[in-house]
Amino acid sequence: MTSASAENNALGPQALSRLVVVIATDRDRQAFTWLYRHYAPRLKSYFLRSGMAGNVAEELAQETMLQVWRKAALFDPAKAGAGTWIFTIARNLRVDYLRHDRIRPSGDGEMPEDEADDAPNGEALLITSEREERLRTALQTLSSEQEAIVRLSFFGDKPHMQIAQELGIPLGTVKSRVRLALAKLRAALDGDK
Amino acid sequence: MSISHHLTDETLLRYAAGTLPAGPALVVATHLESCAKCRARLLAFEAVGGALLDALPPERMEPDALARLMARIDAQEAPAPETAPRRMPDFPGDIRLPAALSACEIGPWKWAGPGVRMSRVTVPGGGESGAVLLRIGAGRRLPEHGHGALELTQVIYGSFSDIYGRYGPGDVSETDEDVDHQPVVDASGECICLAALEGQMLFKGFLGRLAQPFVRF
Ligand SMILES: [Zn+2]
């Protein structure tokens, strides 16, 4: 693939979720290629930010995409968007890698999942993507300090104590920023209840 | 199961991000199994991870990366064999072991003071960070956990009470170093719970004290 094709790729969250559904139902390789071009470079970015070496980050990105192919049938568009689902696969691989210092073959380490109640449908996909869109908007309304701490919580491997030391602010301040940020984000997601 | 004690946002965020140590993460997974409310909250935090992932600047993959992955897909690699069957301590009655523990090694019940038995739970690859199953008689105080940054206790069977109320099956108690909550098992019967601390030194201290003949009650 060329970097140009990755950058021209402007698929929205709904389109990305639909690709996973098509991969599940039709084992469609073209859909997988599009999904790969969007996510593999971002997954590599995620693993690099989590402190992995370049070759490890590349390998874990590959492994994540392989699991996306294999587990596509477990994707429930009523529950989460493609980005959220793929994030959880990447996170589990990262946890596994840090615990074992190696990559376990895919297929194990699965957390229990809620069963999908119904076959994927367009309406569910729309509701999920609207909910996640509200969350993305809410993320942008966080103060830069709140946003920085949420980001560090996801990409660093650091307890809040250490984040506090690095930012030179008291632990209590970190905790209250996290609490405020989470309350805002949760309010955005709970809006549809 | 009506659950009245839940996980905090902060702990769920760390679980969603994959940054909790193995022991506390195991207690969280056990609570999530029985609690739809916390599962829904977790999903919200995972969606934050998804949003952050989508917003990351792409990093260039190796030129042949997609072709190599397609070759692996074509080769249809066999799925990994299942993990070794677990050993479980003898449980009273028909208590079901939480599924989150299925990949863990669970030691035998050991005497850990009057009315208290303990079984060590080892998370594969979890290193020093593990958890313990505690089986405590009616009216007994839970052993002092020491003071960790984070202390999680999930009730599997029976109940205990502390200054925050009563904890029955499915409830989780989450406290930190600032809290002196002194949980006591209710008089109605014995209690089994899964507990973990953050910080290996503290955890060692916890086990160390439990192994002593004079556990502080
Ligand atoms: Zn809960």
Side-chain angles (χ1 to χ4, degrees), chain A residues 11-193:
Chain A
L11 292 171
Q14 271 194 67
L16 290 164
S17 294
R18 210 165 279 124
L19 287 178
V20 182
V21 172
V22 170
I23 291 165
T25 53
D26 303 341
R27 310 310 279 158
D28 186 317
R29 280 157 197 251
Q30 183 58 57
F32 182 74
T33 302
W34 286 327
L35 195 71
Y36 181 97
R37 286 187 176 149
H38 180 83
Y39 278 113
R42 286 171 173 80
L43 287 164
K44 187 172 179 181
S45 195
Y46 164 68
F47 289 117
L48 283 171
R49 270 151 218 265
S50 303
M52 311 286 181
N55 60 333
V56 174
E58 170 112 2
E59 208 181 331
L60 286 169
Q62 293 278 82
E63 194 63 28
T64 306
M65 290 310 297
L66 182 63
Q67 294 207 7
V68 167
W69 172 265
R70 289 189 175 156
K71 296 180 176 176
L74 296 175
F75 173 64
D76 178 2
K79 206 175 125 190
T84 300
W85 182 64
I86 293 172
F87 167 75
T88 61
I89 294 174
R91 171 205 62 195
N92 292 349
L93 281 169
R94 176 172 164 276
V95 167
D96 254 18
Y97 179 80
L98 292 173
R99 285 192 189 160
H100 296 265
D101 210 25
R102 66 185 173 88
I103 298 170
R104 275 200 282 176
S106 51
D108 56 358
E110 186 75 346
M111 287 296 298
E113 293 286 338
D114 293 333
E115 298 285 327
D117 295 327
D118 301 298
N121 63 60
E123 197 193 352
L125 209 142
L126 184 67
I127 292 168
T128 308
S129 75
E130 279 173 355
R131 195 174 60 215
E132 296 204 350
E133 187 51 43
R134 278 203 303 279
L135 176 87
R136 280 158 210 247
T137 309
L139 263 176
Q140 284 161 6
T141 67
L142 295 180
S143 71
S144 57
E145 292 95 350
Q146 287 171 348
E147 201 262 347
I149 281 173
V150 170
R151 193 173 286 280
L152 276 173
S153 303
F154 271 90
F155 298 135
D157 194 10
K158 294 170 185 159
H160 289 139
M161 176 70 88
Q162 205 178 328
I163 294 176
Q165 281 165 359
E166 284 175 21
L167 297 179
I169 53 178
L171 178 62
T173 309
V174 171
K175 287 192 169 182
S176 63
R177 277 182 196 169
V178 168
R179 269 182 212 129
L180 280 172
L182 295 182
K184 268 194 197 175
L185 297 176
R186 209 136 62 75
L189 280 160
D190 289 347
D192 60 336
K193 282 180 189 162

Side-chain angles (χ1 to χ4, degrees), chain B residues 21-44:
Chain B
L26 182 69
V27 182
V28 171
T30 305
H31 180 74
L32 289 169
E33 255 178 59
S34 59
C35 185
K37 193 177 164 194
C38 285
R39 279 202 301 274
R41 289 166 64 215
L42 173 70
L43 199 59

